[in-house]
Amino acid sequence: MRPVYFVGAGPGDPELLTLKGARLLAAADVVVYAGSLINPELLRYVRSGAELHDSSGLTLEEMVDLMARAWRAGLVVVRLHSGDPGLYGAVREQIEALERLGIPSEVVPGVSSFLAAAAALRREYTLPGTSQTVILTRLEGRTPVPAAERLAELARHRASLCVFLSVHMIDRVVEELRQGYPPSTPVAVVERVSWPGERVVQGTLEDIAARVKEAGMNRTALILVGDFLTAPAVPCRLYSADFGHGYRGGRAGGAAAAPGGTEAPSGSCGMHDPAEAGGVPGRGGPSGGAE
């Protein structure tokens, strides 16, 4: 029998649902979806006659019982989650509950809202010369956060940061972030990213709390923090005309490729390893067949 499918719906825009997700929704007999988070336009992929169940009013036990009964009846079951199920999706408890009943499952990834937010701003979290680290986190609320992962501790890294599920506590967010980031650090708050009503508020740690309150943002928003938001791009050596590698020879005056057709990148970027630059067989890139 088919497994129960946990499908990532993406950030909101129905066209950002994956092809596999759309195919499974079209084939589903029963769809359990997070009605408080899912754009209802996504349900247009579901065939006429399929059962639709909004999970926003259900308990874990009720959801599992619903999915288990449908699966035992030989029906195709899809559990539709917002964004990507691997981030703040509460899928593990559902999967384990199904496993205890002998029911298999499969997780289908989706486009996470933190990636859609970067796209909306036309920014890159891992901007060469500025940051090569991305931290995804949340402020502690009813769900506890380990002490070593408190926002104030993470802020000390000054990496590119995305804070989920916390815009309603913007004053606390700013207070903790300022224990690591300087007050002039750029901040962008993106509400309902990729939805028709998407809004963006930008500022710094000095004024973002007031701007967010003035805009009336209090839910379904991401807080992006870091110099990647305003720093200029630094050209990467991989695409420089004088940089030779296994798929493009260096031009006059450029560095020759290292043995095996690769050269470790140098200069200000340093973001690609030799396998990525030269496609070492079996190590990724075009000749390795993997990313």
Side-chain angles (χ1 to χ4, degrees):
M1 294 177 67
R2 288 191 179 194
V4 169
Y5 296 101
F6 288 82
V7 175
D13 183 348
E15 292 186 337
L16 292 179
L17 177 68
T18 65
L19 292 173
K20 186 170 185 177
R23 176 175 61 79
L24 289 172
L25 281 178
D29 300 304
V30 176
V31 176
V32 183
Y33 66 99
S36 59
L37 299 170
I38 296 291
N39 185 341
E41 286 295 311
L42 285 157
L43 301 179
R44 73 188 188 195
Y45 291 105
V46 181
R47 65 176 178 81
S48 176
E51 291 183 30
L52 294 173
H53 299 272
D54 183 352
S55 65
S56 59
L58 301 177
T59 65
L60 172 63
E61 292 74 19
E62 289 169 335
M63 280 190 293
V64 171
D65 180 65
L66 193 163
M67 292 187 287
R69 284 189 286 107
W71 183 85
R72 287 170 180 147
L75 302 178
V76 178
V77 182
V78 168
R79 173 71 170 111
L80 189 62
H81 277 266
S82 61
D84 181 89
L87 285 173
Y88 305 109
V91 296
R92 179 73 176 267
E93 60 197 46
Q94 298 172 64
I95 290 171
E96 290 185 351
L98 291 172
E99 286 176 348
R100 288 192 290 270
L101 298 173
I103 299 174
S105 61
E106 178 182 327
V107 178
V108 179
V111 177
S112 174
S113 57
F114 89 93
L115 297 172
L121 296 168
R122 301 184 304 281
R123 291 296 181 266
E124 177 183 353
Y125 289 109
T126 53
L127 185 65
T130 298
S131 176
Q132 292 293 285
T133 299
V134 185
I135 297 175
L136 308 178
T137 189
R138 62 171 298 170
L139 192 64
E140 183 174 51
R142 286 186 292 180
T143 300
V145 171
E149 298 176 12
R150 297 285 170 83
L151 203 51
E153 294 297 321
L154 299 177
R156 301 183 197 285
H157 295 285
R158 296 194 184 182
S160 300
L161 185 76
C162 180
V163 187
F164 285 73
L165 305 167
S166 304
V167 72
H168 61 292
M169 299 181 285
I170 188 65
D171 286 322
R172 283 184 54 200
V173 170
V174 169
E175 179 184 355
E176 295 206 24
L177 289 175
R178 290 186 64 162
Q179 295 183 48
Y181 294 95
S184 60
T185 301
V187 183
V189 178
V190 187
E191 180 186 65
R192 295 174 71 84
V193 64
S194 85
W195 288 61
E198 174 187 297
R199 293 195 296 165
V200 177
V201 169
Q202 299 191 66
T204 68
L205 284 177
E206 287 185 301
D207 62 11
I208 195 64
R211 289 174 181 266
V212 165
K213 292 174 187 176
E214 183 180 358
M217 292 180 170
N218 55 28
R219 64 187 301 271
T220 322
L222 297 171
I223 305 168
L224 280 58
V225 183
D227 290 333
F228 76 95
L229 289 166
T230 57
V234 175
C236 180
R237 289 285 298 148
L238 182 66
Y239 302 112
S240 175
D242 66 355
F243 179 71
H245 55 69
Y247 295 94
R248 186 189 71 233
R251 298 179 185 175
T262 69
E263 176 191 346
S266 60
S268 60
C269 175
M271 63 181 286
H272 297 277
D273 67 21
E276 291 172 319
V280 177
R283 286 280 313 281
S287 62
E291 292 185 347

